[in-house]
Amino acid sequence: MQTKIIFMGTPQFSVGILESLINHPDYDMIAVLTQPDRPVGRKKVMTPTPVKEVAVKSGIPVFQPAKLSGSPELQALIDLQPDIMITAAYGQFLPTKLLNAAKIGAINVHASLLPKYRGGAPIHYALLNGDTETGVSIMYMIKQMDAGDVLSQATLPITDDDNTGTLFEKLSILGRDLLLKTLPELIDGTNVATPQDPDLVTFSPNIKPEEESLDFSKSAREIFNQIRGLYPFPIAHTEIKGKRTKVQKSHLIDEHSDLPSGTVFKKNKHELWIVAGDGNILAIDELQPAGKPKMDVTAYLNGHANFTEGEQIITHE
Protein backbone atom coordinates (compact mmCIF):
# COMPACT_ATOMS: atom_id res chain seq x y z
CA MET A 1 0.00 0.00 0.00
CA GLN A 2 1.28 3.45 -0.88
CA THR A 3 2.36 5.88 1.84
CA LYS A 4 0.19 9.02 1.76
CA ILE A 5 2.31 12.19 1.71
CA ILE A 6 1.58 15.91 1.93
CA PHE A 7 4.46 17.99 0.53
CA MET A 8 5.16 21.58 1.52
CA GLY A 9 7.64 23.70 -0.44
CA THR A 10 7.92 26.83 -2.55
CA PRO A 11 11.14 27.64 -4.51
CA GLN A 12 13.08 25.84 -7.21
CA PHE A 13 15.08 24.09 -4.46
CA SER A 14 11.96 22.07 -3.62
CA VAL A 15 11.04 21.05 -7.17
CA GLY A 16 13.40 18.10 -7.68
CA ILE A 17 12.48 16.73 -4.27
CA LEU A 18 8.76 16.91 -5.07
CA GLU A 19 9.20 15.36 -8.53
CA SER A 20 11.11 12.41 -7.06
CA LEU A 21 8.21 11.71 -4.70
CA ILE A 22 5.59 12.05 -7.45
CA ASN A 23 7.48 9.57 -9.63
CA HIS A 24 8.08 7.01 -6.86
CA PRO A 25 5.70 4.02 -6.93
CA ASP A 26 5.61 3.66 -3.15
CA TYR A 27 4.32 7.17 -2.43
CA ASP A 28 0.92 8.78 -2.98
CA MET A 29 1.15 12.58 -3.13
CA ILE A 30 -2.26 13.58 -1.78
CA ALA A 31 -1.67 17.35 -1.52
CA VAL A 32 0.88 20.11 -1.95
CA LEU A 33 1.10 23.21 0.24
CA THR A 34 2.96 26.22 -1.17
CA GLN A 35 3.07 30.00 -0.87
CA PRO A 36 0.47 32.14 -2.69
CA ASP A 37 1.06 33.34 -6.25
CA ARG A 38 3.09 36.58 -6.26
CA PRO A 39 3.36 39.54 -8.66
CA VAL A 40 6.63 39.28 -10.61
CA GLY A 41 8.50 41.75 -12.82
CA ARG A 42 7.74 45.31 -13.78
CA LYS A 43 4.30 44.36 -15.05
CA LYS A 44 3.50 42.60 -11.74
CA VAL A 45 2.27 39.44 -13.44
CA MET A 46 0.79 37.03 -10.88
CA THR A 47 3.11 34.04 -10.97
CA PRO A 48 2.75 30.61 -9.29
CA THR A 49 5.58 29.14 -7.27
CA PRO A 50 7.81 26.55 -8.97
CA VAL A 51 6.32 23.90 -6.67
CA LYS A 52 2.76 24.80 -7.65
CA GLU A 53 3.61 24.49 -11.34
CA VAL A 54 4.84 20.94 -10.82
CA ALA A 55 1.87 19.96 -8.65
CA VAL A 56 -0.71 21.34 -11.09
CA LYS A 57 0.96 19.58 -14.01
CA SER A 58 0.75 16.32 -12.05
CA GLY A 59 -2.88 16.82 -11.01
CA ILE A 60 -2.13 17.11 -7.29
CA PRO A 61 -4.43 19.32 -5.16
CA VAL A 62 -2.66 22.58 -4.19
CA PHE A 63 -3.24 24.66 -1.05
CA GLN A 64 -1.93 28.25 -0.89
CA PRO A 65 -3.06 30.04 2.28
CA ALA A 66 -1.36 33.38 2.96
CA LYS A 67 -1.30 32.30 6.60
CA LEU A 68 -1.82 28.65 7.40
CA SER A 69 -2.70 29.02 11.09
CA GLY A 70 -6.43 29.48 11.52
CA SER A 71 -7.16 29.01 7.81
CA PRO A 72 -9.81 26.69 6.29
CA GLU A 73 -6.95 24.99 4.47
CA LEU A 74 -5.45 23.88 7.79
CA GLN A 75 -8.41 21.70 8.71
CA ALA A 76 -8.67 20.40 5.15
CA LEU A 77 -5.06 19.22 5.30
CA ILE A 78 -5.61 17.56 8.67
CA ASP A 79 -8.71 15.80 7.32
CA LEU A 80 -6.59 14.20 4.58
CA GLN A 81 -4.97 12.04 7.29
CA PRO A 82 -1.47 11.86 5.79
CA ASP A 83 1.03 9.23 6.81
CA ILE A 84 3.96 11.62 6.39
CA MET A 85 4.35 15.36 5.87
CA ILE A 86 7.51 16.65 4.20
CA THR A 87 8.63 20.26 4.01
CA ALA A 88 11.47 21.64 1.89
CA ALA A 89 11.83 25.44 1.99
CA TYR A 90 8.11 26.09 2.45
CA GLY A 91 8.41 29.49 4.13
CA GLN A 92 5.83 29.35 6.95
CA PHE A 93 5.65 27.86 10.41
CA LEU A 94 3.36 24.83 10.66
CA PRO A 95 0.83 24.65 13.52
CA THR A 96 1.43 21.84 15.99
CA LYS A 97 -1.94 20.24 15.31
CA LEU A 98 -0.97 19.88 11.66
CA LEU A 99 2.38 18.32 12.57
CA ASN A 100 0.54 15.91 14.86
CA ALA A 101 -1.80 14.89 12.03
CA ALA A 102 0.96 12.90 10.30
CA LYS A 103 0.59 9.28 11.40
CA ILE A 104 4.27 8.38 10.92
CA GLY A 105 5.86 11.81 11.26
CA ALA A 106 6.43 15.30 9.89
CA ILE A 107 9.94 15.88 8.56
CA ASN A 108 11.90 18.71 6.96
CA VAL A 109 14.65 18.73 4.31
CA HIS A 110 16.95 21.56 5.43
CA ALA A 111 19.94 22.87 3.47
CA SER A 112 22.56 22.87 6.23
CA LEU A 113 24.37 20.54 8.58
CA LEU A 114 22.20 21.12 11.63
CA PRO A 115 22.47 22.44 14.29
CA LYS A 116 24.44 24.91 12.14
CA TYR A 117 22.39 27.52 10.27
CA ARG A 118 18.85 27.09 11.46
CA GLY A 119 16.57 29.52 9.64
CA GLY A 120 15.64 30.78 6.20
CA ALA A 121 19.01 31.48 4.53
CA PRO A 122 21.42 28.61 5.34
CA ILE A 123 22.94 28.50 1.84
CA HIS A 124 23.62 32.23 1.80
CA TYR A 125 25.29 32.12 5.22
CA ALA A 126 27.52 29.16 4.38
CA LEU A 127 29.01 31.25 1.56
CA LEU A 128 29.02 34.57 3.42
CA ASN A 129 31.00 32.95 6.23
CA GLY A 130 33.47 31.29 3.87
CA ASP A 131 32.58 27.72 4.81
CA THR A 132 34.27 24.96 2.85
CA GLU A 133 31.55 22.39 3.51
CA THR A 134 27.77 22.36 3.68
CA GLY A 135 25.10 19.71 3.36
CA VAL A 136 21.52 18.65 3.96
CA SER A 137 19.80 17.52 7.13
CA ILE A 138 16.49 15.68 7.38
CA MET A 139 14.90 16.14 10.76
CA TYR A 140 11.61 15.85 12.58
CA MET A 141 9.59 19.04 12.64
CA ILE A 142 8.68 20.52 15.99
CA LYS A 143 7.26 23.90 16.97
CA GLN A 144 10.74 25.42 17.42
CA MET A 145 12.40 26.41 14.12
CA ASP A 146 14.65 23.68 12.65
CA ALA A 147 15.23 22.24 16.13
CA GLY A 148 13.91 18.70 15.73
CA ASP A 149 15.92 15.50 16.08
CA VAL A 150 18.01 14.72 12.99
CA LEU A 151 17.19 11.58 11.00
CA SER A 152 20.00 11.78 8.45
CA GLN A 153 22.63 14.07 6.95
CA ALA A 154 24.76 14.28 3.82
CA THR A 155 27.71 16.60 3.20
CA LEU A 156 28.88 18.62 0.19
CA PRO A 157 32.15 20.52 -0.38
CA ILE A 158 31.98 24.23 -1.24
CA THR A 159 34.45 25.45 -3.86
CA ASP A 160 35.43 28.97 -4.89
CA ASP A 161 33.39 28.44 -8.06
CA ASP A 162 30.18 28.06 -6.04
CA ASN A 163 27.60 30.74 -5.42
CA THR A 164 24.15 30.61 -3.86
CA GLY A 165 22.63 29.56 -7.19
CA THR A 166 24.97 26.62 -7.76
CA LEU A 167 24.62 25.44 -4.17
CA PHE A 168 20.82 25.59 -4.39
CA GLU A 169 21.01 23.21 -7.36
CA LYS A 170 23.55 20.87 -5.77
CA LEU A 171 21.81 20.75 -2.40
CA SER A 172 18.42 20.15 -3.99
CA ILE A 173 19.81 17.03 -5.65
CA LEU A 174 21.57 15.98 -2.45
CA GLY A 175 18.37 16.53 -0.46
CA ARG A 176 16.31 14.55 -2.96
CA ASP A 177 18.64 11.56 -2.81
CA LEU A 178 18.95 11.68 0.98
CA LEU A 179 15.18 11.85 1.41
CA LEU A 180 14.58 8.84 -0.83
CA LYS A 181 17.14 6.92 1.22
CA THR A 182 15.69 8.06 4.57
CA LEU A 183 11.96 7.57 3.94
CA PRO A 184 11.95 3.72 3.89
CA GLU A 185 13.83 3.68 7.21
CA LEU A 186 11.34 6.16 8.68
CA ILE A 187 8.37 4.15 7.45
CA ASP A 188 9.60 0.79 8.75
CA GLY A 189 10.83 2.26 12.03
CA THR A 190 14.51 1.35 11.67
CA ASN A 191 15.82 4.94 11.66
CA VAL A 192 17.29 6.35 14.88
CA ALA A 193 17.00 10.12 15.23
CA THR A 194 19.74 12.15 16.95
CA PRO A 195 19.01 15.22 19.10
CA GLN A 196 20.77 18.42 18.06
CA ASP A 197 23.53 19.73 20.36
CA PRO A 198 22.19 23.04 21.75
CA ASP A 199 25.75 24.31 22.29
CA LEU A 200 26.45 24.17 18.54
CA VAL A 201 23.32 25.99 17.33
CA THR A 202 23.78 28.92 14.93
CA PHE A 203 21.18 30.83 12.92
CA SER A 204 20.77 32.05 9.35
CA PRO A 205 17.94 34.61 9.29
CA ASN A 206 16.74 36.01 5.98
CA ILE A 207 19.17 38.50 4.43
CA LYS A 208 18.52 42.11 5.44
CA PRO A 209 18.91 44.95 2.89
CA GLU A 210 21.89 46.42 4.76
CA GLU A 211 23.73 43.11 4.40
CA GLU A 212 23.71 43.54 0.62
CA SER A 213 26.09 46.52 0.75
CA LEU A 214 29.76 45.77 0.06
CA ASP A 215 32.41 47.23 2.36
CA PHE A 216 35.76 47.40 0.58
CA SER A 217 37.56 48.07 3.86
CA LYS A 218 37.06 44.33 4.49
CA SER A 219 39.41 41.68 3.13
CA ALA A 220 39.25 40.63 -0.52
CA ARG A 221 38.15 37.15 0.56
CA GLU A 222 35.27 38.54 2.65
CA ILE A 223 34.05 40.72 -0.23
CA PHE A 224 34.36 37.83 -2.67
CA ASN A 225 32.33 35.61 -0.32
CA GLN A 226 29.65 38.29 0.05
CA ILE A 227 29.29 38.73 -3.71
CA ARG A 228 28.89 35.00 -4.40
CA GLY A 229 26.80 34.50 -1.27
CA LEU A 230 24.26 37.02 -2.58
CA TYR A 231 24.22 35.78 -6.19
CA PRO A 232 21.84 35.30 -7.98
CA PHE A 233 19.70 36.87 -5.25
CA PRO A 234 19.41 39.35 -3.64
CA ILE A 235 22.67 40.73 -5.28
CA ALA A 236 25.45 42.69 -3.55
CA HIS A 237 26.00 46.35 -4.38
CA THR A 238 28.44 49.20 -3.82
CA GLU A 239 28.90 52.79 -5.00
CA ILE A 240 31.43 53.38 -7.76
CA LYS A 241 32.24 57.09 -7.86
CA GLY A 242 28.97 57.73 -6.03
CA LYS A 243 26.82 55.67 -8.42
CA ARG A 244 25.06 52.65 -6.97
CA THR A 245 26.27 49.55 -8.78
CA LYS A 246 25.28 45.93 -8.32
CA VAL A 247 28.12 43.43 -8.40
CA GLN A 248 27.17 39.91 -9.48
CA LYS A 249 30.49 38.13 -9.98
CA SER A 250 34.14 38.54 -9.04
CA HIS A 251 37.29 36.51 -8.45
CA LEU A 252 40.40 36.79 -6.30
CA ILE A 253 43.77 37.89 -7.67
CA ASP A 254 47.11 36.79 -6.24
CA GLU A 255 48.47 40.33 -5.96
CA HIS A 256 48.96 42.78 -3.09
CA SER A 257 48.98 46.58 -2.86
CA ASP A 258 49.57 49.30 -0.28
CA LEU A 259 47.04 51.57 -2.00
CA PRO A 260 43.88 52.56 -0.07
CA SER A 261 40.92 50.21 -0.22
CA GLY A 262 38.57 50.87 -3.10
CA THR A 263 41.41 51.99 -5.39
CA VAL A 264 41.75 50.77 -8.97
CA PHE A 265 44.84 48.55 -9.05
CA LYS A 266 44.53 47.56 -12.70
CA LYS A 267 42.29 48.67 -15.55
CA ASN A 268 42.38 47.73 -19.22
CA LYS A 269 39.78 46.78 -21.83
CA HIS A 270 38.90 43.52 -20.12
CA GLU A 271 40.00 43.78 -16.48
CA LEU A 272 39.05 45.83 -13.44
CA TRP A 273 40.99 45.03 -10.28
CA ILE A 274 40.15 46.75 -6.99
CA VAL A 275 42.22 46.93 -3.80
CA ALA A 276 40.48 45.56 -0.71
CA GLY A 277 41.01 46.49 2.93
CA ASP A 278 43.70 43.88 3.51
CA GLY A 279 45.67 45.03 0.46
CA ASN A 280 44.65 41.98 -1.56
CA ILE A 281 43.01 42.37 -4.94
CA LEU A 282 39.51 41.58 -6.17
CA ALA A 283 38.72 41.39 -9.90
CA ILE A 284 35.21 42.45 -10.90
CA ASP A 285 33.67 40.18 -13.57
CA GLU A 286 30.01 41.17 -13.84
CA LEU A 287 28.16 44.27 -12.64
CA GLN A 288 25.16 46.49 -13.21
CA PRO A 289 25.16 50.29 -12.89
CA ALA A 290 21.89 51.83 -11.69
CA GLY A 291 19.36 52.06 -14.51
CA LYS A 292 21.43 49.84 -16.83
CA PRO A 293 21.28 46.14 -17.73
CA LYS A 294 23.65 43.60 -16.21
CA MET A 295 26.91 43.44 -18.18
CA ASP A 296 30.30 41.79 -18.14
CA VAL A 297 33.30 43.84 -17.13
CA THR A 298 34.40 44.38 -20.74
CA ALA A 299 31.11 46.06 -21.64
CA TYR A 300 31.23 48.10 -18.45
CA LEU A 301 34.77 49.35 -19.10
CA ASN A 302 33.83 50.24 -22.66
CA GLY A 303 31.11 52.67 -21.69
CA HIS A 304 30.90 53.44 -17.98
CA ALA A 305 34.39 53.57 -16.49
CA ASN A 306 35.44 57.22 -16.40
CA PHE A 307 38.33 56.59 -14.01
CA THR A 308 41.98 55.56 -14.11
CA GLU A 309 44.41 53.21 -12.40
CA GLY A 310 45.40 54.52 -8.98
CA GLU A 311 42.08 56.31 -8.49
CA GLN A 312 40.01 55.52 -5.42
CA ILE A 313 36.55 54.88 -6.84
CA ILE A 314 34.92 53.20 -3.81
CA THR A 315 34.98 55.09 -0.51
CA HIS A 316 33.45 54.57 2.92
CA GLU A 317 31.79 56.80 5.49
Side-chain angles (χ1 to χ4, degrees):
M1 190 167 66
Q2 288 182 310
T3 301
K4 295 195 298 181
I5 296 176
I6 293 176
F7 182 82
M8 307 168 187
T10 296
Q12 192 64 38
F13 172 81
S14 316
V15 166
I17 299 169
L18 173 59
E19 288 176 333
S20 71
L21 296 170
I22 293 171
N23 295 327
H24 200 289
D26 293 341
Y27 307 131
D28 178 16
M29 299 301 302
I30 58 174
V32 163
L33 181 64
T34 190
Q35 295 283 53
D37 296 1
R38 305 289 190 198
V40 173
R42 292 183 179 180
K43 294 184 179 180
K44 304 296 183 184
V45 177
M46 293 301 291
T47 303
T49 71
V51 161
K52 179 182 178 179
E53 290 183 340
V54 171
V56 169
K57 187 184 297 184
S58 301
I60 301 168
V62 177
F63 296 79
Q64 294 179 276
K67 184 181 180 184
L68 183 57
S69 183
S71 69
E73 290 91 344
L74 174 59
Q75 189 58 50
L77 289 164
I78 292 171
D79 290 344
L80 289 173
Q81 299 182 328
D83 295 311
I84 295 174
M85 285 186 291
I86 300 170
T87 66
Y90 168 48
Q92 287 192 44
F93 279 105
L94 302 182
T96 301
K97 62 180 179 179
L98 178 58
L99 298 180
N100 292 339
K103 298 172 186 175
I104 296 174
I107 61 174
N108 183 26
V109 183
H110 184 73
S112 83
L113 297 172
L114 292 169
K116 194 173 189 178
Y117 300 142
R118 294 180 184 176
I123 297 174
H124 292 83
Y125 272 80
L127 288 161
L128 292 171
N129 291 334
D131 293 358
T132 57
E133 183 182 68
T134 184
V136 171
S137 302
I138 296 178
M139 82 286 192
Y140 282 113
M141 284 189 285
I142 61 175
K143 193 170 184 180
Q144 188 179 354
M145 181 178 64
D146 300 330
D149 292 353
V150 175
L151 291 156
S152 58
Q153 289 186 321
T155 61
L156 179 78
I158 300 175
T159 73
D160 277 1
D161 292 328
D162 279 316
N163 56 47
T164 288
T166 64
L167 284 187
F168 259 86
E169 294 175 5
K170 292 178 182 180
L171 290 170
S172 177
I173 294 168
L174 189 68
R176 176 200 68 192
D177 295 346
L178 183 62
L179 178 65
L180 292 178
K181 179 181 176 182
T182 304
L183 276 174
E185 300 170 353
L186 175 67
I187 292 165
D188 65 22
T190 59
N191 189 286
V192 178
T194 304
Q196 297 184 39
D197 186 340
D199 294 330
L200 299 178
V201 171
T202 60
F203 294 95
S204 58
N206 291 334
I207 302 297
K208 300 181 179 68
E210 56 267 27
E211 294 175 296
E212 299 166 24
S213 178
L214 297 171
D215 180 358
F216 270 77
S217 68
K218 293 183 177 180
S219 71
R221 168 63 69 171
E222 287 175 295
I223 301 166
F224 168 72
N225 286 339
Q226 187 177 358
I227 291 168
R228 66 196 186 114
L230 299 179
Y231 183 82
F233 61 93
I235 307 292
H237 63 82
T238 188
E239 288 198 357
I240 296 179
K241 298 195 73 173
K243 187 172 186 178
R244 184 182 171 109
T245 304
K246 294 180 178 179
V247 183
Q248 284 90 352
K249 294 182 181 179
S250 68
H251 67 274
L252 296 166
I253 298 293
D254 188 17
E255 295 274 1
H256 190 84
S257 172
D258 294 326
L259 292 169
S261 64
T263 298
V264 179
F265 181 79
K266 182 179 182 180
K267 177 195 171 189
N268 56 42
K269 288 183 178 181
H270 306 291
E271 294 174 305
L272 177 59
W273 296 4
I274 308 293
V275 182
D278 60 351
N280 290 324
I281 309 298
L282 188 75
I284 306 300
D285 297 321
E286 193 173 278
L287 63 174
Q288 183 177 3
K292 302 293 182 181
K294 181 173 66 174
M295 61 190 75
D296 63 26
V297 69
T298 301
Y300 175 79
L301 291 168
N302 187 46
H304 303 275
N306 58 337
F307 47 76
T308 60
E309 288 184 1
E311 183 178 351
Q312 189 179 28
I313 60 172
I314 302 171
T315 57
H316 312 283
E317 295 295 331

